[in-house]
């Protein structure tokens, strides 16, 4: 399970402090050193670690904390608050278009979980607001992706617009959008292709799809297992495409989870959902405070 190791190490760092009645600056320095190592080992981005530890340290060294009756307890609270802040503080849902359809475009590397997330999101929208989404199969380079989306569509009773693999994704999206307007679908979910690595052709295609679809949301789907690399991927997609939100998948796996902590700070884009399994229902709305509690254990 994600964060297991990190949780253990953070708890160890803080429990030393808990045993002390009085806390000195040296105790805090020692604790911060351990927290810093724990975060780095969990694959959290160095800049994010620096920023986080600086904030915690400054607040923890404040007179009102050190001279209080329970300094250790207060410091644990500060760690929790700063972690929540790093993760984004607030829950940010899907931003809707004032007029239907709300268009949501998926982006990300191959295997990140875009197609699966499209199905999960459709399910979520149906369950929470009785939505009538249309899904567009824009991943023409991986024929299995079209079939995968169609299977999800059948399970959910959601129409899937596809034109096979011989038509350009931009044209597929253009025609899919026209169909959604005609059928008055309230959401359009666009599945796009990913590559194993970021390349110019992929970005160009995504930019063209963005142009045609004018999406309200461009959600970057990243695999938590990819560690530090997830941060680079997120940065690059954000620079080139302007993402509006991040989905972190596979947080159920044996991952160090640090990517989840870094991506918000590095891109400024909110994490909106997390994927916690392969099933359609394995989707959680992202709550920074709950994630922080989960990490701290
Ligand atoms: P795409 O290439 O980005 O469209 O990725 P897919 O949606 O095909 O997902 C790639 C693999 O990851 C599939 O085997 C999915 O079942 C799996 N997957 C997707 N999301 C999750 C998740 O949250 N947890 C786990 N454990 N597996 C996931």
């Amino acid at each position: 399970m994600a964060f297991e190791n990190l949780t253990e190490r953070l708890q160890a760092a803080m429990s030393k402090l808990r045993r002390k009645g009085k806390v000195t600056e040296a105790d805090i320095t020692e604790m911060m050193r351990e927290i810093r190592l724990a975060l780095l080992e969990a694959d959290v981005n160095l800049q994010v670690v620096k920023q986080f530890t600086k904030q915690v340290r400054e607040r923890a060294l404040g007179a009102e904390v050190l001279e209080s009756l329970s300094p250790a307890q207060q410091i644990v609270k500060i760690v929790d608050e700063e972690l929540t802040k790093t993760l984004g503080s607030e829950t940010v849902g899907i931003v809707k278009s004032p007029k239907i359809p709300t268009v949501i475009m998926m982006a990300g590397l191959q295997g990140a979980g875009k197609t699966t997330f499209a199905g999960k999101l459709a399910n979520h929208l149906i369950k929470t607001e009785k939505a009538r989404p249309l899904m567009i199969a824009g991943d023409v380079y991986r024929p299995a992706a079209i079939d995968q989306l169609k299977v999800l569509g059948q399970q959910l009773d959601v129409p899937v617009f596809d034109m096979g693999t011989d038509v350009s994704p931009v044209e597929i999206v253009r025609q899919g959008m026209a169909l959604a307007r005609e059928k008055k679908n309230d959401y359009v979910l666009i599945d796009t292709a990913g590559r194993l690595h970021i390349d110019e052709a992929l970005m160009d295609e995504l930019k063209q799809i963005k142009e045609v679809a004018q999406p309200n949301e461009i959600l970057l789907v990243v695999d938590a297992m990819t560690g530090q690399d997830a941060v680079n991927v997120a940065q690059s997609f954000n620079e080139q495409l302007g993402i509006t939100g991040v989905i972190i998948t596979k947080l159920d796996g044996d991952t160090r989870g640090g990517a989840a902590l870094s991506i918000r700070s590095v891109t400024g884009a909110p994490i909106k959902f997390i994927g916690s399994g392969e099933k359609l229902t394995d989707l959680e709305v992202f709550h920074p405070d709950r994630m922080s509690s989960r990490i701290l254990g």
Side-chain angles (χ1 to χ4, degrees), residues 137-147 162-169 172:
D139 185 356
V140 299
Y141 308 107
R142 203 167 59 93
I146 300 179
D147 294 334
D162 89 286
M163 296 175 77
T165 56
D166 297 336
V167 181
S168 87
I172 295 172

Side-chain angles (χ1 to χ4, degrees), residues 39-113:
L39 292 171
L40 287 174
E41 268 174 35
D43 269 344
V44 182
N45 174 278
L46 178 63
Q47 291 312 318
V48 176
V49 174
K50 279 188 178 160
Q51 177 70 16
F52 172 79
T53 47
K54 180 168 169 271
Q55 300 289 92
V56 172
R57 194 183 151 80
E58 267 169 25
R59 286 184 61 193
L61 285 173
E64 62 281 15
V65 175
L66 292 183
E67 285 159 22
S68 71
L69 287 173
S70 53
Q73 226 168 325
Q74 296 219 24
I75 290 167
V76 172
K77 191 162 158 262
I78 292 172
V79 172
D80 185 16
E81 285 171 3
E82 291 299 325
L83 196 56
T84 303
K85 214 193 275 176
T86 304
L87 290 164
S89 289
E90 281 167 18
T91 297
V92 185
I94 296 292
V95 176
K96 286 199 212 180
S97 161
K99 115 180 189 283
I100 64 163
T102 293
V103 181
I104 303 169
M105 171 177 168
M106 317 301 161
L109 297 183
Q110 187 173 316

Side-chain angles (χ1 to χ4, degrees), residues 108-117 120 139 142 145 148 191-192 221 248-253 274-278 282:
L109 297 183
Q110 187 173 316
K114 290 182 295 301
T115 308
T116 307
F117 171 68
K120 288 178 176 178
D139 185 356
R142 203 167 59 93
Q148 194 184 335
D191 189 22
T192 65
V221 180
I248 301 189
T249 63
K250 310 186 196 180
L251 266 176
D252 51 311
I274 57 177
S276 52
E278 296 190 76
D282 292 331

Side-chain angles (χ1 to χ4, degrees), residues 85-88 90 92 259-271:
K85 214 193 275 176
T86 304
L87 290 164
E90 281 167 18
V92 185
L261 256 84
S262 312
I263 285 181
R264 166 74 210 222
S265 302
V266 172
T267 62
I271 301 169

Side-chain angles (χ1 to χ4, degrees), residues 123-253:
N123 183 48
H124 173 82
L125 294 169
I126 292 166
K127 292 274 146 46
T128 54
E129 46 184 283
K130 297 193 174 72
R132 287 181 50 250
L134 171 83
M135 299 200 283
I136 300 180
D139 185 356
V140 299
Y141 308 107
R142 203 167 59 93
I146 300 179
D147 294 334
Q148 194 184 335
L149 199 66
K150 281 185 180 167
V151 169
L152 291 171
Q154 272 162 10
Q155 285 173 16
L156 294 165
D157 203 16
V158 166
V160 174
F161 181 79
D162 89 286
M163 296 175 77
T165 56
D166 297 336
V167 181
S168 87
V170 180
E171 186 53 29
I172 295 172
V173 169
R174 194 191 314 276
Q175 297 202 24
M177 289 295 305
L179 181 70
R181 282 191 207 100
E182 186 194 316
K183 301 277 185 197
K184 301 198 163 42
N185 290 100
D186 46 7
Y187 286 93
V188 177
L189 310 185
I190 305 174
D191 189 22
T192 65
R195 304 278 200 281
L196 292 175
H197 300 283
I198 293 166
D199 64 41
E200 226 172 286
L202 166 71
M203 283 301 174
D204 279 348
E205 185 178 291
L206 292 174
K207 283 178 196 166
Q208 286 178 48
I209 292 176
K210 177 181 176 182
E211 188 64 37
V212 166
Q214 298 284 317
N216 304 92
E217 292 268 17
I218 300 179
L219 300 180
L220 178 70
V221 180
V222 291
D223 177 341
M225 313 262 245
T226 45
Q228 288 277 358
D229 206 34
V231 174
N232 302 333
V233 168
Q235 229 164 351
S236 170
F237 270 86
N238 192 37
E239 277 162 21
Q240 304 226 29
L241 210 60
I243 60 176
T244 61
V246 178
I247 313 304
I248 301 189
T249 63
K250 310 186 196 180
L251 266 176
D252 51 311

